[in-house]
Short mmCIF file of all heavy atoms in Angstrom, two decimals:
data_model
loop_
_atom_site.label_atom_id
_atom_site.label_comp_id
_atom_site.label_asym_id
_atom_site.label_seq_id
_atom_site.Cartn_x
_atom_site.Cartn_y
_atom_site.Cartn_z
N GLN B 284 -0.05 3.97 8.73
CA GLN B 284 -0.23 4.88 7.59
C GLN B 284 0.78 6.03 7.66
O GLN B 284 1.41 6.38 6.66
CB GLN B 284 -1.65 5.45 7.60
CG GLN B 284 -2.74 4.42 7.42
CD GLN B 284 -4.10 5.02 7.64
OE1 GLN B 284 -4.50 5.94 6.94
NE2 GLN B 284 -4.83 4.51 8.63
N ARG B 285 0.90 6.60 8.83
CA ARG B 285 1.82 7.73 8.99
C ARG B 285 3.27 7.28 8.81
O ARG B 285 4.10 8.03 8.26
CB ARG B 285 1.61 8.38 10.35
CG ARG B 285 0.22 9.00 10.51
CD ARG B 285 0.04 9.69 11.85
NE ARG B 285 0.90 10.88 11.92
CZ ARG B 285 1.09 11.59 13.03
NH1 ARG B 285 0.49 11.21 14.16
NH2 ARG B 285 1.87 12.65 13.01
N ALA B 286 3.57 6.07 9.27
CA ALA B 286 4.93 5.56 9.10
C ALA B 286 5.27 5.36 7.63
O ALA B 286 6.35 5.74 7.17
CB ALA B 286 5.08 4.24 9.86
N ARG B 287 4.37 4.74 6.88
CA ARG B 287 4.64 4.50 5.46
C ARG B 287 4.79 5.83 4.70
O ARG B 287 5.64 5.95 3.81
CB ARG B 287 3.52 3.67 4.83
CG ARG B 287 3.31 2.26 5.42
CD ARG B 287 4.50 1.34 5.21
NE ARG B 287 5.52 1.49 6.22
CZ ARG B 287 5.50 0.93 7.42
NH1 ARG B 287 4.48 0.15 7.78
NH2 ARG B 287 6.49 1.12 8.26
N ALA B 288 3.96 6.80 5.06
CA ALA B 288 4.05 8.11 4.41
C ALA B 288 5.35 8.82 4.77
O ALA B 288 6.04 9.38 3.90
CB ALA B 288 2.85 8.97 4.79
N THR B 289 5.71 8.79 6.05
CA THR B 289 6.91 9.49 6.52
C THR B 289 8.18 8.84 5.99
O THR B 289 9.11 9.54 5.54
CB THR B 289 6.94 9.49 8.06
OG1 THR B 289 5.73 10.07 8.55
CG2 THR B 289 8.13 10.29 8.57
N ASP B 290 8.24 7.52 6.02
CA ASP B 290 9.43 6.81 5.55
C ASP B 290 9.72 7.11 4.09
O ASP B 290 10.89 7.20 3.68
CB ASP B 290 9.24 5.29 5.68
CG ASP B 290 9.25 4.83 7.12
OD1 ASP B 290 9.65 5.61 8.00
OD2 ASP B 290 8.85 3.67 7.37
N ASN B 291 8.67 7.24 3.30
CA ASN B 291 8.83 7.33 1.85
C ASN B 291 8.49 8.69 1.27
O ASN B 291 8.59 8.91 0.07
CB ASN B 291 7.98 6.25 1.18
CG ASN B 291 8.40 4.86 1.60
OD1 ASN B 291 9.46 4.39 1.23
ND2 ASN B 291 7.57 4.21 2.41
N GLN B 292 8.05 9.62 2.13
CA GLN B 292 7.77 11.00 1.75
C GLN B 292 6.80 11.08 0.58
O GLN B 292 7.06 11.73 -0.43
CB GLN B 292 9.09 11.72 1.44
CG GLN B 292 10.03 11.77 2.65
CD GLN B 292 11.34 12.44 2.34
OE1 GLN B 292 12.05 12.05 1.43
NE2 GLN B 292 11.70 13.46 3.12
N LEU B 293 5.69 10.42 0.74
CA LEU B 293 4.64 10.44 -0.26
C LEU B 293 3.28 10.37 0.44
O LEU B 293 3.19 10.32 1.65
CB LEU B 293 4.81 9.29 -1.27
CG LEU B 293 5.25 7.91 -0.79
CD1 LEU B 293 4.26 7.28 0.18
CD2 LEU B 293 5.49 6.99 -1.97
N TYR B 294 2.21 10.40 -0.35
CA TYR B 294 0.86 10.35 0.20
C TYR B 294 0.43 8.90 0.43
O TYR B 294 0.79 8.01 -0.34
CB TYR B 294 -0.13 11.03 -0.75
CG TYR B 294 -0.08 12.54 -0.72
CD1 TYR B 294 0.81 13.23 -1.55
CD2 TYR B 294 -0.90 13.28 0.12
CE1 TYR B 294 0.87 14.61 -1.53
CE2 TYR B 294 -0.85 14.66 0.15
CZ TYR B 294 0.04 15.33 -0.67
OH TYR B 294 0.09 16.70 -0.65
N VAL B 295 -0.35 8.69 1.48
CA VAL B 295 -0.93 7.39 1.77
C VAL B 295 -2.43 7.57 2.02
O VAL B 295 -2.83 8.42 2.83
CB VAL B 295 -0.28 6.73 3.00
CG1 VAL B 295 -1.07 5.48 3.43
CG2 VAL B 295 1.17 6.35 2.70
N ALA B 296 -3.23 6.78 1.31
CA ALA B 296 -4.68 6.81 1.49
C ALA B 296 -5.16 5.43 1.89
O ALA B 296 -4.74 4.42 1.32
CB ALA B 296 -5.37 7.26 0.21
N THR B 297 -6.05 5.39 2.89
CA THR B 297 -6.64 4.12 3.30
C THR B 297 -8.15 4.25 3.28
O THR B 297 -8.71 5.33 3.50
CB THR B 297 -6.20 3.74 4.72
OG1 THR B 297 -6.62 4.76 5.63
CG2 THR B 297 -4.70 3.55 4.81
N CYS B 298 -8.84 3.13 3.04
CA CYS B 298 -10.29 3.15 3.04
C CYS B 298 -10.81 1.86 3.66
O CYS B 298 -10.45 0.76 3.22
CB CYS B 298 -10.83 3.31 1.62
SG CYS B 298 -12.61 3.63 1.57
N SER B 299 -11.62 2.00 4.68
CA SER B 299 -12.13 0.87 5.47
C SER B 299 -13.64 0.75 5.29
O SER B 299 -14.33 1.74 4.98
CB SER B 299 -11.82 1.10 6.95
OG SER B 299 -12.52 0.20 7.79
N PRO B 300 -14.16 -0.45 5.50
CA PRO B 300 -15.61 -0.55 5.64
C PRO B 300 -16.06 0.18 6.90
O PRO B 300 -15.29 0.35 7.85
CB PRO B 300 -15.87 -2.06 5.76
CG PRO B 300 -14.59 -2.72 5.34
CD PRO B 300 -13.50 -1.76 5.64
N ALA B 301 -17.33 0.58 6.93
CA ALA B 301 -17.90 1.13 8.16
C ALA B 301 -18.04 0.01 9.19
O ALA B 301 -18.11 -1.17 8.84
CB ALA B 301 -19.25 1.77 7.88
N ARG B 302 -18.08 0.39 10.43
CA ARG B 302 -18.16 -0.60 11.50
C ARG B 302 -19.57 -1.17 11.64
O ARG B 302 -20.56 -0.43 11.60
CB ARG B 302 -17.73 0.03 12.83
CG ARG B 302 -17.57 -0.96 13.97
CD ARG B 302 -17.14 -0.26 15.25
NE ARG B 302 -15.94 0.56 15.03
CZ ARG B 302 -15.46 1.42 15.92
NH1 ARG B 302 -16.10 1.60 17.07
NH2 ARG B 302 -14.37 2.13 15.65
N ASP B 303 -19.64 -2.48 11.75
CA ASP B 303 -20.89 -3.17 12.03
C ASP B 303 -20.69 -3.99 13.30
O ASP B 303 -20.09 -5.06 13.28
CB ASP B 303 -21.28 -4.08 10.85
CG ASP B 303 -22.55 -4.87 11.10
OD1 ASP B 303 -23.18 -4.66 12.17
OD2 ASP B 303 -22.91 -5.71 10.25
N ASP B 304 -21.16 -3.47 14.42
CA ASP B 304 -20.93 -4.11 15.70
C ASP B 304 -21.58 -5.49 15.80
O ASP B 304 -21.23 -6.28 16.69
CB ASP B 304 -21.45 -3.22 16.84
CG ASP B 304 -20.61 -1.96 17.01
OD1 ASP B 304 -19.38 -2.05 16.84
OD2 ASP B 304 -21.18 -0.89 17.28
N LYS B 305 -22.52 -5.78 14.92
CA LYS B 305 -23.21 -7.07 14.93
C LYS B 305 -22.59 -8.08 13.97
O LYS B 305 -23.03 -9.22 13.92
CB LYS B 305 -24.69 -6.87 14.60
CG LYS B 305 -25.45 -6.00 15.60
CD LYS B 305 -26.89 -5.82 15.20
CE LYS B 305 -27.64 -4.94 16.20
NZ LYS B 305 -29.06 -4.73 15.80
N GLY B 306 -21.61 -7.66 13.20
CA GLY B 306 -20.98 -8.54 12.23
C GLY B 306 -20.04 -9.53 12.89
O GLY B 306 -19.57 -9.33 14.03
N SER B 307 -19.71 -10.60 12.15
CA SER B 307 -18.75 -11.58 12.67
C SER B 307 -17.35 -11.00 12.74
O SER B 307 -16.52 -11.44 13.55
CB SER B 307 -18.76 -12.84 11.80
OG SER B 307 -18.39 -12.51 10.46
N TYR B 308 -17.06 -10.02 11.90
CA TYR B 308 -15.78 -9.30 11.92
C TYR B 308 -16.12 -7.83 12.03
O TYR B 308 -16.85 -7.28 11.20
CB TYR B 308 -14.98 -9.58 10.64
CG TYR B 308 -13.63 -8.90 10.61
CD1 TYR B 308 -12.48 -9.57 11.05
CD2 TYR B 308 -13.48 -7.59 10.15
CE1 TYR B 308 -11.23 -8.95 11.03
CE2 TYR B 308 -12.24 -6.97 10.12
CZ TYR B 308 -11.13 -7.65 10.56
OH TYR B 308 -9.89 -7.03 10.55
N VAL B 309 -15.60 -7.17 13.04
CA VAL B 309 -15.93 -5.77 13.30
C VAL B 309 -14.76 -4.88 12.88
O VAL B 309 -13.67 -4.97 13.45
CB VAL B 309 -16.27 -5.54 14.79
CG1 VAL B 309 -16.67 -4.09 15.02
CG2 VAL B 309 -17.40 -6.48 15.22
N ALA B 310 -14.99 -4.06 11.87
CA ALA B 310 -13.93 -3.19 11.34
C ALA B 310 -13.76 -1.95 12.20
O ALA B 310 -14.72 -1.43 12.79
CB ALA B 310 -14.26 -2.79 9.90
N TRP B 311 -12.54 -1.46 12.25
CA TRP B 311 -12.21 -0.26 13.02
C TRP B 311 -12.74 0.99 12.34
O TRP B 311 -13.14 1.95 12.99
CB TRP B 311 -10.70 -0.19 13.21
CG TRP B 311 -10.14 1.08 13.79
CD1 TRP B 311 -9.26 1.94 13.20
CD2 TRP B 311 -10.41 1.63 15.09
NE1 TRP B 311 -8.96 2.98 14.04
CE2 TRP B 311 -9.65 2.81 15.22
CE3 TRP B 311 -11.23 1.23 16.15
CZ2 TRP B 311 -9.67 3.60 16.35
CZ3 TRP B 311 -11.25 2.03 17.29
CH2 TRP B 311 -10.48 3.20 17.38
N GLY B 312 -12.76 1.03 11.00
CA GLY B 312 -13.18 2.24 10.29
C GLY B 312 -12.03 3.22 10.16
O GLY B 312 -10.89 2.85 9.95
N HIS B 313 -12.34 4.53 10.30
CA HIS B 313 -11.32 5.59 10.32
C HIS B 313 -10.51 5.64 9.01
O HIS B 313 -9.27 5.63 9.03
CB HIS B 313 -10.39 5.42 11.53
CG HIS B 313 -11.09 5.57 12.84
ND1 HIS B 313 -11.22 6.77 13.50
CD2 HIS B 313 -11.73 4.65 13.62
CE1 HIS B 313 -11.89 6.60 14.63
NE2 HIS B 313 -12.22 5.32 14.73
N SER B 314 -11.20 5.69 7.88
CA SER B 314 -10.52 5.91 6.60
C SER B 314 -9.78 7.24 6.66
O SER B 314 -10.27 8.21 7.24
CB SER B 314 -11.54 5.91 5.46
OG SER B 314 -12.27 4.70 5.44
N THR B 315 -8.59 7.29 6.02
CA THR B 315 -7.68 8.41 6.28
C THR B 315 -6.83 8.75 5.07
O THR B 315 -6.48 7.88 4.28
CB THR B 315 -6.75 8.05 7.46
OG1 THR B 315 -7.53 7.74 8.61
CG2 THR B 315 -5.81 9.19 7.81
N LEU B 316 -6.49 10.03 4.94
CA LEU B 316 -5.47 10.49 4.00
C LEU B 316 -4.32 11.10 4.79
O LEU B 316 -4.54 11.98 5.64
CB LEU B 316 -6.02 11.52 3.02
CG LEU B 316 -5.00 12.13 2.06
CD1 LEU B 316 -4.49 11.07 1.06
CD2 LEU B 316 -5.58 13.33 1.30
N VAL B 317 -3.10 10.62 4.53
CA VAL B 317 -1.90 11.11 5.22
C VAL B 317 -0.97 11.76 4.20
O VAL B 317 -0.78 11.23 3.10
CB VAL B 317 -1.18 9.97 5.95
CG1 VAL B 317 0.09 10.47 6.64
CG2 VAL B 317 -2.10 9.31 6.97
N GLY B 318 -0.39 12.90 4.58
CA GLY B 318 0.52 13.62 3.70
C GLY B 318 1.95 13.14 3.82
O GLY B 318 2.30 12.33 4.69
#
Side-chain angles (χ1 to χ4, degrees):
Q284 297 171 61
R285 296 182 67 189
R287 299 295 85 81
T289 304
D290 289 347
N291 299 290
Q292 299 178 304
L293 40 62
Y294 284 87
V295 170
T297 60
C298 190
S299 168
R302 189 180 307 170
D303 178 4
D304 291 323
K305 298 179 180 179
S307 60
Y308 182 93
V309 182
W311 171 241
H313 296 270
S314 302
T315 303
L316 176 68
V317 179

